[in-house]
Amino acid sequence: MKLALIGFPGCGKTSLFNAVTGSNLPVGQFSNTPSVQMATVRVHDPRMFRLREWYKPKSFVLAHMECEDVTGLIDGKGGQKQVSAEVLGGVRQVDAIVHVVRAFESGAVPHVLDSVDPRRDMAETVNEMLFADLAQCDQRIRKLRPQVVKFSKTQEHDKKELALLERLMAHLEGGKPVSSLALANEDEKKTTAAFQFLTAKPIMTVFNAGESDLGAGGKAEQLEKEYPGSIALCAKLEMELAQLAEDERAVFLQDLGIKEPAAPRLAAMVYKDLGLISFFTVGEDEVRAWTLHRGENAQQAAAKVHTDLAKGFVRAEVFPYADLDAAGGDERAMKAKHALRLEGREYTVKDGEIVHIRANTR
Ligand SMILES: Nc1nc2c(ncn2[C@@H]2O[C@H](COP(=O)(O)OP(=O)(O)OP(=O)(O)O)[C@@H](O)[C@H]2O)c(=O)[nH]1
Ligand SMILES: [Mg+2]
């Protein structure tokens, strides 16, 4: 699971990146040289910390997402906008895009378009991405057109690809993202997926609001209401918060009226948008959280843990976290109360289930 933070220069991407990954990259650089930094966002699921108390494992591993801090997607130098191919190449590999949108007012931080206007910036960024996809589509069409008229082994395939891309081109020119193009079959899906188009990816929004925009009824709350599914926070404060020791953090949070820090909010947004769930494996050796897509089955869950477990899959022992919690974390007491559930490979794993895979691994 890989995310990219994109957005206008100076919108607060690196501040947010530092906040959610605990990194310490310099902010306020306004660097127009393309670069991509990567770090990990740990998913601080409160259930995991209870499991750690109960099992006291030797090893404790939270679920995580890779996060990229991307500079220069939109380069406002000299009023011209340029999309850096190098940077876009990196963004094409990610599973989802997080668009950081500036909402904070600050005389000290200039905006490349001279004013703070979240709605305009959102539209501009989507346009940049549409434009990048269009250029990629166009380039391939130009290559295919002369190719399909000559006989070759791939002629039929090329013709189909060209027809698909021409349809896609018209779609993009109409200002619509790749994700909304109706694809006729698996073949078309595969062909489109291979291009890793930007507008085919899930795009989520984080509004970066100012320090004074956070309270009840403030700009942050208004933006979240206006754009359901988005989150609004103050990246500058969140970054400072992330750099404090844990005990100081709680006091600071309360003082600022922040209910939940940026990392868990970002993780919750991504899990919801992408339809992800967590399942847990527990024991004295290790307590670990794993990420699945909602609807994936026990064998797919086994594959996350180890390919051998998926291959030799026999049964999955499954119980919900809630049952264990109700028994105060005492697995034996819980098992005395509930019949042991053994599920087959097709069983759909639910969020918060504790799964023990029985497999033949010889
Ligand atoms: N007042 C205020 N300043 C902020 C906020 N968030 C970021 N800044 C400031 O804005 C400047 C740019 O922040 P960065 O996090 O470096 O922004 P960026 O998007 O990474 O910028 P580039 O990588 O240069 O595109 C820094 O000086 C930050 O301190 C905020 O919420 N309020
Ligand atoms: Mg930056």
Side-chain angles (χ1 to χ4, degrees), residues 9-15 27-28 30-31 104 109 208-209 211 234 236:
C11 67
K13 298 175 295 293
T14 304
S15 304
V27 299
F30 295 100
S31 52
F104 69 92
V109 186
N208 183 14
E211 295 84 332
C234 177
K236 190 164 179 255

Side-chain angles (χ1 to χ4, degrees), residues 6-18 25-32 69-74 100 102-109 208-211 213 233-237 239-240:
I6 65 158
F8 272 70
C11 67
K13 298 175 295 293
T14 304
S15 304
L16 180 65
F17 178 82
N18 284 344
L25 298 179
V27 299
Q29 299 285 296
F30 295 100
S31 52
N32 270 320
D69 177 19
V70 179
T71 62
L73 181 64
I74 294 171
V100 183
R102 174 168 173 180
F104 69 92
E105 298 281 351
S106 164
V109 186
N208 183 14
E211 295 84 332
D213 297 330
L233 44 76
C234 177
K236 190 164 179 255
L237 289 180
M239 183 180 122
E240 288 165 15

Side-chain angles (χ1 to χ4, degrees), residues 29-68:
Q29 299 285 296
F30 295 100
S31 52
N32 270 320
T33 41
S35 84
V36 177
Q37 300 283 343
M38 185 128 92
T40 302
V41 182
R42 308 222 169 266
V43 182
H44 284 250
D45 186 329
R47 295 172 297 190
M48 280 294 285
F49 295 94
R50 303 291 302 277
L51 289 170
R52 180 168 65 178
E53 281 170 34
W54 297 332
Y55 287 92
K56 304 198 171 29
K58 291 186 199 106
S59 145
F60 177 70
V61 187
L62 293 166
H64 68 273
M65 310 184 280
E66 297 303 322
C67 185
E68 282 181 357

Side-chain angles (χ1 to χ4, degrees), residues 241 244-255:
L241 197 65
L244 292 176
E246 206 142 326
D247 48 337
E248 289 173 303
R249 209 176 291 167
V251 182
F252 196 74
L253 269 173
Q254 213 170 18
D255 281 355

Side-chain angles (χ1 to χ4, degrees), residues 11 101-105 116-118 121 207-210 213 219 223:
C11 67
V101 181
R102 174 168 173 180
F104 69 92
E105 298 281 351
V116 175
D117 183 344
D121 291 358
F207 291 105
N208 183 14
D213 297 330
K219 196 175 181 182
L223 284 165

